[in-house]
Every structure is written in structure tokens, then in C-alpha cells.
Amino acid sequence: QVQLVESGGGSVQAGGSLRLSCTASGIIFSIGAMGWYRQALGQQRELVAMITSGGSAEYADSVKGRFTISRDNSKHTVYLQMNSLNPEDTAVYYCNVDRIATNRGVKDDIWGQGAQVTVSS
């Protein structure tokens, strides 16, 4: 069964940096768009950044110029480099894949388990 495993969350002071990783496990033939979402306490989940299989990226206005999304297709992994973090970035960050083709078929809309990011002032 396909799973997305996240790593790299943690606590940092304002102005600091963190890097999140999310790797898809299983026998994978192809992966579609990969993205990062976040959900702060009491807030709705929001898109942070996404990257297509061809490498085109888009970002939420709130993170443009500070966050960078990238992917390594050979490792089935998506990354989120977060710089100049501020307390408003505190949230649980979830990775998402819109479609994965595996030896067991195609699966849509897969989510990681979430990684807590806490930024203190």
C-alpha cells in the first residue's frame, strides 16, 4: 500500500529555517503533482506550495520568497525548504500527492501523516 512518510518538522526561533521531506513508499511507476499544505490550530487547511511532475511550482502569497518546494523523482520525494520562518508559520504541515501509479494500481489524493512546525518569537 502506498504511504507518504514525512520528516523534518520541529521547533525553531523566528528567522530560522527548517526543511521538510516527504517520501512515497511502495513500488511506484509515476507520481503526479506533489504539494505541501498546512493547518494551524483552529484554522482551515491551506495550500502552501505545489510542484508538478515536470517541476513547475506555485506558492501561497504568504510564503513566496521564503519557502522553496522541490522534488527528486528518482527518490519519490518532495521537499519544502522554509527560510525566514515567523510565528504565523506555526502549523501542522501535510504533504499531498494528487495521483500515484503503483504495481497495485492508481491511487488519488494521498496524504502524509503531518509534521508539526513551531516557530517561537
Side-chain angles (χ1 to χ4, degrees), residues 34-64:
M34 307 179 82
W36 289 96
Y37 291 72
R38 66 185 180 187
Q39 187 167 19
L41 196 62
Q43 304 283 332
Q44 288 190 331
R45 191 172 296 188
E46 63 174 359
L47 176 67
V48 175
M50 65 85 66
I51 184 167
T52 67
S53 57
S56 297
E58 62 181 56
Y59 298 90
D61 287 343
S62 59
V63 306
K64 281 180 182 176

Tab-separated table of all heavy atoms in Angstrom, residues 34-64:
chain	number	residue	atom	x	y	z
A	34	MET	N	2.859	17.113	-6.533
A	34	MET	CA	3.116	16.929	-5.103
A	34	MET	C	3.013	18.292	-4.436
A	34	MET	O	3.436	19.304	-5.013
A	34	MET	CB	4.511	16.336	-4.876
A	34	MET	CG	4.756	15.065	-5.675
A	34	MET	SD	6.413	14.376	-5.424
A	34	MET	CE	6.168	13.461	-3.886
A	35	GLY	N	2.450	18.311	-3.247
A	35	GLY	CA	2.250	19.600	-2.598
A	35	GLY	C	2.387	19.528	-1.100
A	35	GLY	O	2.446	18.444	-0.508
A	36	TRP	N	2.483	20.704	-0.516
A	36	TRP	CA	2.503	20.857	0.929
A	36	TRP	C	1.328	21.748	1.344
A	36	TRP	O	1.105	22.809	0.750
A	36	TRP	CB	3.811	21.489	1.395
A	36	TRP	CG	4.995	20.582	1.273
A	36	TRP	CD1	5.886	20.534	0.249
A	36	TRP	CD2	5.404	19.590	2.217
A	36	TRP	NE1	6.809	19.559	0.487
A	36	TRP	CE2	6.553	18.970	1.696
A	36	TRP	CE3	4.913	19.166	3.453
A	36	TRP	CZ2	7.225	17.943	2.355
A	36	TRP	CZ3	5.583	18.148	4.121
A	36	TRP	CH2	6.720	17.551	3.575
A	37	TYR	N	0.622	21.302	2.341
A	37	TYR	CA	-0.464	22.066	2.951
A	37	TYR	C	-0.131	22.264	4.415
A	37	TYR	O	0.705	21.551	4.974
A	37	TYR	CB	-1.793	21.310	2.833
A	37	TYR	CG	-2.340	21.209	1.435
A	37	TYR	CD1	-1.752	20.376	0.486
A	37	TYR	CD2	-3.463	21.931	1.052
A	37	TYR	CE1	-2.254	20.280	-0.798
A	37	TYR	CE2	-3.988	21.841	-0.232
A	37	TYR	CZ	-3.377	21.011	-1.148
A	37	TYR	OH	-3.888	20.925	-2.419
A	38	ARG	N	-0.792	23.210	5.032
A	38	ARG	CA	-0.616	23.374	6.467
A	38	ARG	C	-1.946	23.722	7.118
A	38	ARG	O	-2.834	24.295	6.480
A	38	ARG	CB	0.420	24.453	6.784
A	38	ARG	CG	0.044	25.863	6.392
A	38	ARG	CD	1.213	26.807	6.645
A	38	ARG	NE	0.888	28.183	6.286
A	38	ARG	CZ	1.779	29.181	6.283
A	38	ARG	NH1	3.054	28.935	6.621
A	38	ARG	NH2	1.414	30.390	5.963
A	39	GLN	N	-2.023	23.362	8.386
A	39	GLN	CA	-3.223	23.650	9.152
A	39	GLN	C	-2.819	24.130	10.533
A	39	GLN	O	-2.260	23.374	11.327
A	39	GLN	CB	-4.126	22.422	9.256
A	39	GLN	CG	-5.467	22.706	9.894
A	39	GLN	CD	-6.456	21.552	9.709
A	39	GLN	OE1	-6.073	20.423	9.420
A	39	GLN	NE2	-7.738	21.848	9.846
A	40	ALA	N	-3.086	25.394	10.784
A	40	ALA	CA	-2.825	25.953	12.102
A	40	ALA	C	-4.009	25.645	13.018
A	40	ALA	O	-5.124	25.384	12.553
A	40	ALA	CB	-2.608	27.460	12.002
A	41	LEU	N	-3.772	25.709	14.314
A	41	LEU	CA	-4.814	25.399	15.286
A	41	LEU	C	-6.021	26.295	15.070
A	41	LEU	O	-5.904	27.514	15.032
A	41	LEU	CB	-4.248	25.594	16.693
A	41	LEU	CG	-5.053	24.974	17.835
A	41	LEU	CD1	-5.118	23.465	17.676
A	41	LEU	CD2	-4.432	25.337	19.185
A	42	GLY	N	-7.186	25.681	14.899
A	42	GLY	CA	-8.411	26.432	14.710
A	42	GLY	C	-8.607	27.005	13.319
A	42	GLY	O	-9.562	27.757	13.088
A	43	GLN	N	-7.707	26.679	12.418
A	43	GLN	CA	-7.780	27.212	11.060
A	43	GLN	C	-8.057	26.091	10.065
A	43	GLN	O	-7.875	24.917	10.366
A	43	GLN	CB	-6.454	27.890	10.689
A	43	GLN	CG	-6.001	28.980	11.630
A	43	GLN	CD	-6.755	30.274	11.432
A	43	GLN	OE1	-7.224	30.563	10.339
A	43	GLN	NE2	-6.878	31.054	12.495
A	44	GLN	N	-8.459	26.485	8.865
A	44	GLN	CA	-8.646	25.518	7.798
A	44	GLN	C	-7.308	25.156	7.175
A	44	GLN	O	-6.353	25.943	7.220
A	44	GLN	CB	-9.573	26.096	6.728
A	44	GLN	CG	-11.033	26.200	7.170
A	44	GLN	CD	-11.947	26.555	6.017
A	44	GLN	OE1	-11.532	27.220	5.065
A	44	GLN	NE2	-13.182	26.123	6.079
A	45	ARG	N	-7.244	23.964	6.601
A	45	ARG	CA	-6.030	23.553	5.902
A	45	ARG	C	-5.877	24.418	4.655
A	45	ARG	O	-6.841	24.669	3.930
A	45	ARG	CB	-6.114	22.073	5.529
A	45	ARG	CG	-4.826	21.471	5.050
A	45	ARG	CD	-4.937	19.974	4.886
A	45	ARG	NE	-5.190	19.295	6.157
A	45	ARG	CZ	-5.172	17.978	6.306
A	45	ARG	NH1	-4.904	17.195	5.265
A	45	ARG	NH2	-5.427	17.440	7.476
A	46	GLU	N	-4.647	24.860	4.403
A	46	GLU	CA	-4.385	25.713	3.244
A	46	GLU	C	-3.186	25.205	2.458
A	46	GLU	O	-2.261	24.617	3.018
A	46	GLU	CB	-4.127	27.160	3.695
A	46	GLU	CG	-2.895	27.341	4.563
A	46	GLU	CD	-2.578	28.786	4.888
A	46	GLU	OE1	-3.311	29.687	4.426
A	46	GLU	OE2	-1.591	29.029	5.611
A	47	LEU	N	-3.224	25.481	1.170
A	47	LEU	CA	-2.110	25.118	0.304
A	47	LEU	C	-0.933	26.054	0.562
A	47	LEU	O	-1.088	27.271	0.578
A	47	LEU	CB	-2.526	25.196	-1.157
A	47	LEU	CG	-1.430	24.940	-2.185
A	47	LEU	CD1	-0.952	23.500	-2.123
A	47	LEU	CD2	-1.916	25.285	-3.592
A	48	VAL	N	0.233	25.454	0.736
A	48	VAL	CA	1.462	26.233	0.912
A	48	VAL	C	2.222	26.320	-0.407
A	48	VAL	O	2.610	27.396	-0.855
A	48	VAL	CB	2.360	25.608	1.995
A	48	VAL	CG1	3.681	26.347	2.100
A	48	VAL	CG2	1.638	25.592	3.341
A	49	ALA	N	2.432	25.171	-1.024
A	49	ALA	CA	3.179	25.113	-2.279
A	49	ALA	C	2.881	23.791	-2.963
A	49	ALA	O	2.541	22.814	-2.304
A	49	ALA	CB	4.679	25.250	-2.034
A	50	MET	N	3.006	23.803	-4.284
A	50	MET	CA	2.858	22.572	-5.023
A	50	MET	C	3.810	22.580	-6.210
A	50	MET	O	4.237	23.656	-6.667
A	50	MET	CB	1.417	22.362	-5.479
A	50	MET	CG	0.869	23.367	-6.473
A	50	MET	SD	1.267	22.962	-8.194
A	50	MET	CE	0.320	21.475	-8.376
A	51	ILE	N	4.152	21.379	-6.686
A	51	ILE	CA	5.071	21.244	-7.800
A	51	ILE	C	4.572	20.117	-8.692
A	51	ILE	O	4.206	19.037	-8.222
A	51	ILE	CB	6.508	20.995	-7.298
A	51	ILE	CG1	7.496	20.958	-8.457
A	51	ILE	CG2	6.608	19.739	-6.441
A	51	ILE	CD1	8.960	21.034	-8.004
A	52	THR	N	4.539	20.386	-9.988
A	52	THR	CA	4.061	19.387	-10.922
A	52	THR	C	5.138	18.343	-11.183
A	52	THR	O	6.297	18.503	-10.788
A	52	THR	CB	3.663	20.042	-12.245
A	52	THR	OG1	4.852	20.554	-12.882
A	52	THR	CG2	2.684	21.191	-12.031
A	53	SER	N	4.762	17.292	-11.887
A	53	SER	CA	5.738	16.261	-12.222
A	53	SER	C	6.840	16.811	-13.121
A	53	SER	O	7.961	16.288	-13.120
A	53	SER	CB	5.037	15.081	-12.906
A	53	SER	OG	4.341	15.520	-14.059
A	54	GLY	N	6.547	17.877	-13.836
A	54	GLY	CA	7.539	18.499	-14.704
A	54	GLY	C	8.390	19.541	-14.008
A	54	GLY	O	9.318	20.089	-14.617
A	55	GLY	N	8.063	19.837	-12.753
A	55	GLY	CA	8.893	20.755	-11.985
A	55	GLY	C	8.370	22.179	-11.863
A	55	GLY	O	9.035	23.034	-11.268
A	56	SER	N	7.192	22.462	-12.378
A	56	SER	CA	6.622	23.799	-12.226
A	56	SER	C	6.048	23.950	-10.828
A	56	SER	O	5.309	23.089	-10.365
A	56	SER	CB	5.531	24.038	-13.271
A	56	SER	OG	6.069	23.999	-14.570
A	57	ALA	N	6.375	25.074	-10.189
A	57	ALA	CA	5.971	25.274	-8.802
A	57	ALA	C	5.098	26.515	-8.653
A	57	ALA	O	5.205	27.460	-9.432
A	57	ALA	CB	7.196	25.406	-7.911
A	58	GLU	N	4.242	26.472	-7.654
A	58	GLU	CA	3.475	27.642	-7.277
A	58	GLU	C	3.396	27.702	-5.761
A	58	GLU	O	3.518	26.680	-5.088
A	58	GLU	CB	2.076	27.641	-7.888
A	58	GLU	CG	1.179	26.491	-7.456
A	58	GLU	CD	-0.188	26.550	-8.136
A	58	GLU	OE1	-0.230	26.582	-9.374
A	58	GLU	OE2	-1.184	26.573	-7.397
A	59	TYR	N	3.210	28.926	-5.255
A	59	TYR	CA	3.278	29.154	-3.817
A	59	TYR	C	2.122	30.030	-3.343
A	59	TYR	O	1.614	30.878	-4.091
A	59	TYR	CB	4.593	29.870	-3.465
A	59	TYR	CG	5.831	29.098	-3.803
A	59	TYR	CD1	6.449	29.230	-5.053
A	59	TYR	CD2	6.418	28.238	-2.876
A	59	TYR	CE1	7.586	28.522	-5.370
A	59	TYR	CE2	7.556	27.520	-3.178
A	59	TYR	CZ	8.130	27.672	-4.431
A	59	TYR	OH	9.278	26.959	-4.739
A	60	ALA	N	1.767	29.857	-2.093
A	60	ALA	CA	0.854	30.785	-1.453
A	60	ALA	C	1.569	32.127	-1.314
A	60	ALA	O	2.797	32.168	-1.122
A	60	ALA	CB	0.439	30.267	-0.081
A	61	ASP	N	0.823	33.204	-1.410
A	61	ASP	CA	1.424	34.538	-1.323
A	61	ASP	C	2.194	34.719	-0.014
A	61	ASP	O	3.224	35.399	0.025
A	61	ASP	CB	0.347	35.612	-1.436
A	61	ASP	CG	-0.201	35.736	-2.846
A	61	ASP	OD1	0.456	35.236	-3.783
A	61	ASP	OD2	-1.285	36.322	-3.011
A	62	SER	N	1.705	34.104	1.046
A	62	SER	CA	2.307	34.293	2.372
A	62	SER	C	3.692	33.686	2.501
A	62	SER	O	4.432	34.028	3.436
A	62	SER	CB	1.388	33.712	3.450
A	62	SER	OG	1.171	32.332	3.229
A	63	VAL	N	4.070	32.797	1.592
A	63	VAL	CA	5.367	32.127	1.714
A	63	VAL	C	6.291	32.421	0.535
A	63	VAL	O	7.451	31.991	0.539
A	63	VAL	CB	5.205	30.598	1.872
A	63	VAL	CG1	4.281	30.273	3.031
A	63	VAL	CG2	4.738	29.943	0.586
A	64	LYS	N	5.811	33.140	-0.447
A	64	LYS	CA	6.640	33.449	-1.618
A	64	LYS	C	7.913	34.169	-1.190
A	64	LYS	O	7.874	35.108	-0.384
A	64	LYS	CB	5.860	34.318	-2.604
A	64	LYS	CG	4.883	33.551	-3.464
A	64	LYS	CD	4.150	34.482	-4.431
A	64	LYS	CE	3.139	33.702	-5.259
A	64	LYS	NZ	2.352	34.597	-6.149
